[in-house]
Amino acid sequence: MFFNAPPQVRLAALRIVGIYAFFAASWILVSDTIVGWLVSDHDTLTRVALFKGWLFVLLTSLILYKLIYSDNLKLARATALLQGSEERFHTIYDSLNDAIFIHDAETGRVLDVNETACRLYGYGREELLNKGLQQVGTGEAPYTEAEALAWIHRCAEGVPQTFEWVTTTKYTSRLWVEVSMRRATIDGENRIVVMVRDISGRKQAEEQLGLQQAQLEELNRTLERRVDEAIAELRQKDELLLQQSRHAAMGEMLNNIAHQWRQPLNNIAIYVQSMQLLKAAEELTDEQIQDDVRHIMEIINYMSKTIDDFRTFFRNEKQKHPFSVAEAAGKAISFVSAQMEHYGITCQLAVQNERMVNGYQAEYIQVVLNILNNAIDVLNHTNRPDRRIQVTASAENDWVVLSIQDTGGGIAPEALPHIFEPYYTTKGPGEGTGIGLYMSKTIIEKHMAGRLSARNGSEGAEFRICLPSTLIP
C-alpha cells in the first residue's frame, strides 16, 4: 500500500520519520552523555532516566504534532484547491457548446459525457453511457458502429481525426454533426476525447446554396437562349416599326411625287393642247412638232428620273457602303422640294467640309426626310412670315455632322425629352404615328453607331445627325 501511494505522500511520510529518527538519536546521545557526566549515583541515575524518558515523549509528541499538523494543513489547502479546480473544470466541461464524449481507446466504450451531450441527444447521463456507440451513427453505412470504432482506433494511434457524421438523437433520426477526436491520458489511461458539434443549420444552408447554385447554373444555361430570343423579338419589333415608318414615308413620298409631277403634267398638257390648237388652225409645222416633242421628252425624262430616285430610296440595303452626307441630304431635299415650294418654304443646303461616312444611304435619307417632313409640317402650321429650313453639312473632329434647323418656333419644353420615344407624337389624332423620330434614332445610333439629338435654337428646333467619318484629316 505504501509503495502504491502517490510520490508526494511517500515523501511527506519519509520526512516525518527522518525528523523523528534524527531527534531521537540526538536526544539519546546528548542526554546520556550529559547525565553520565553529572550523576554517578545509581538511584539518582534511575530517577533522572525516568524523567528524561517522559521529557522525550513530550518533546517528540510536540514535534510530531507540529509536523503532522503542518502537512495536514498543506493537504487541506491542496484538497480545497483541487476541489475548486474540479468544480471549475466540471462547470466549463458542462457549459461548452460542443458535446463531449470520453471513450476507452481500446473498446470504444463511452466513459463520460458532458451536459451538452445529454441535451443534444435528449438522454440522461446514465442512459447515454449505456447506449454506447450504437447511438453514435444511423446504422447505415458509412454511419455505423463499426465505422465509429474505426475512427476511434485511428485516433488511438496518435493521429487526430476530424470529420462530418450523421447521428441519431431522441428527437431526430438524422442529425449532421462535426466530430473532432484527440487522444489524451486521463488517470494514467489512454482515452479518446470526442467533441461533437451540431452543424445541421450549416448543412441546410449548404443544401440551399447548392440548390440555388444549381438553379443559377440552369439559369446561365438558358440565359443565352433567352437573351437571343429577346434580342430576336426586339429586332422583330424594330423591323415592324421600321416597316411602319417606311410605309408612312411611302405615303408621304406619294404625296411628294404628286407635288413633283403636278407641274410637269400641266406643262405636258399645255404642249398637247397647243399642238391641237395649232393643228385646228392649220398652223402646226414640222418644226413646231419637233420642238414640242423635244420639250415633252425632257419633261418625261425628268419625271422618269424622279421615279428612279424614289425607287432607290425604297430599296433595302444589305451592307454598309461609303456615301456622301451632303449628297444624301441633297436627295432628301429634292424629294420634298415641290412640297416646300407649294407651302412657301425655302430650304438651303450648305456644305462646309465634305466628308464620307460608312452606312446605309437609303436609311440615312429616310432619317433626313423624317426630320424635314416634321419641319415642313411645323412651318405649314405657323403664321411666321419667314418659313425657312437650313441644312448644314460639316466636320467636327472625327464626326460628320448634319444640322437641320427650322424657323418654326421650337419644340415645347415638356415634349422635348420625349420626342424620340416610340408612339409619342405632338400631332393631333390621325396626323402622326409617333414612330418616325424613334426609328430615326434607332437607325442612326444602332444601325450606324452615330448620334441623333435635338435642341431648341433661337428661331426653332435644331436636329443634329452625327456619324463617324471614314476619312481622318
Side-chain angles (χ1 to χ4, degrees), residues 128-384:
L128 202 53
L129 293 178
N130 292 332
K131 286 184 178 296
L133 284 178
Q134 63 268 24
Q135 183 60 30
V136 174
T138 61
E140 300 176 358
Y143 312 113
T144 65
E145 180 180 357
E147 273 129 0
L149 187 59
W151 284 108
I152 291 176
H153 287 164
R154 281 194 290 270
C155 185
E157 294 173 357
V159 181
Q161 306 292 321
T162 301
F163 53 92
E164 293 181 353
W165 190 264
V166 178
T167 186
T168 59
T169 70
K170 187 176 182 179
Y171 311 113
T172 179
S173 59
R174 289 181 64 84
L175 178 69
W176 275 101
V177 294
E178 183 181 71
V179 181
S180 178
M181 291 184 175
R182 297 291 186 275
R183 187 179 67 179
T185 300
I186 302 176
D187 296 332
E189 301 290 341
N190 284 331
R191 300 291 184 243
I192 303 298
V193 179
V194 180
M195 289 179 287
V196 179
R197 176 174 298 175
D198 182 2
I199 60 169
S200 55
R202 189 180 78 189
K203 279 295 184 180
Q204 290 176 359
E206 290 176 355
E207 292 176 0
Q208 184 66 25
L209 181 61
L211 178 61
Q212 292 177 351
Q213 186 173 0
Q215 293 174 345
L216 181 60
E217 291 175 354
E218 178 63 23
L219 179 61
N220 288 335
R221 284 193 292 270
T222 60
L223 182 59
E224 184 176 356
R225 176 177 54 81
R226 293 179 181 179
V227 169
D228 291 340
E229 292 175 354
I231 291 175
E233 184 177 354
L234 289 175
R235 286 177 177 172
Q236 185 178 8
K237 290 180 179 179
D238 282 348
E239 288 295 331
L240 291 175
L241 288 175
L242 183 60
Q243 289 298 326
Q244 293 179 20
S245 177
R246 295 184 75 85
H247 289 160
M250 186 179 298
E252 293 175 349
M253 281 297 176
L254 292 175
N255 186 42
N256 293 330
I257 291 173
H259 281 285
Q260 292 277 21
W261 280 12
R262 183 173 288 110
Q263 186 62 37
L265 288 173
N266 287 336
N267 292 337
I268 291 175
I270 291 172
Y271 282 114
V272 172
Q273 290 175 356
S274 175
M275 292 174 66
Q276 288 178 338
L277 291 174
L278 291 174
K279 176 65 175 175
E282 296 181 354
E283 296 178 2
L284 183 62
T285 65
D286 293 339
E287 291 80 4
Q288 185 66 43
I289 293 174
Q290 291 178 359
D291 187 58
D292 289 346
V293 169
R294 179 175 58 80
H295 283 96
I296 290 173
M297 290 305 300
E298 289 176 355
I299 295 172
I300 292 174
N301 287 334
Y302 167 76
M303 296 173 67
S304 177
K305 182 179 181 303
T306 302
I307 289 295
D308 290 339
D309 290 340
F310 286 130
R311 289 178 59 191
T312 301
F313 169 73
F314 285 107
R315 185 181 299 120
N316 289 327
E317 295 178 285
K318 302 298 183 181
Q319 294 182 346
K320 293 182 178 180
H321 60 85
F323 66 90
S324 167
V325 166
E327 180 182 342
K331 287 185 178 181
I333 293 172
S334 69
F335 290 158
V336 293
S337 59
Q339 187 178 357
M340 289 190 291
E341 183 180 354
H342 176 75
Y343 293 126
I345 299 171
T346 61
C347 182
Q348 182 180 4
L349 174 62
V351 182
Q352 297 179 356
N353 190 358
E354 179 63 281
R355 291 267 191 93
M356 300 293 288
V357 297
N358 193 45
Y360 305 100
Q361 184 178 17
E363 291 188 359
Y364 187 87
I365 293 174
Q366 180 181 349
V367 172
V368 177
L369 278 173
N370 286 336
I371 299 172
L372 289 175
N373 283 323
N374 285 340
I376 292 170
D377 185 67
V378 170
L379 291 171
N380 186 39
H381 288 82
T382 185
N383 295 324
R384 292 171 176 260

Side-chain angles (χ1 to χ4, degrees), residues 20-32:
Y20 176 80
F22 174 78
F23 178 79
S26 300
W27 175 267
I28 293 172
L29 178 62
V30 173
S31 63
D32 286 350

Side-chain angles (χ1 to χ4, degrees), residues 398-460:
D398 298 338
W399 295 87
V400 177
V401 180
L402 186 71
S403 171
I404 303 174
Q405 298 173 282
D406 63 58
T407 58
I411 305 169
E414 64 274 11
L416 187 59
H418 308 288
I419 59 174
F420 294 111
E421 296 176 3
Y423 302 110
Y424 181 85
T425 179
T426 58
K427 300 177 182 179
E431 295 183 6
T433 61
I435 61 173
L437 289 179
Y438 168 73
M439 287 311 306
S440 296
K441 195 172 185 67
T442 299
I443 289 170
I444 295 300
E445 297 187 356
K446 292 186 178 180
H447 296 187
M448 289 187 275
R451 295 195 300 263
L452 174 59
S453 60
R455 63 185 180 184
N456 284 322
S458 58
E459 295 182 289

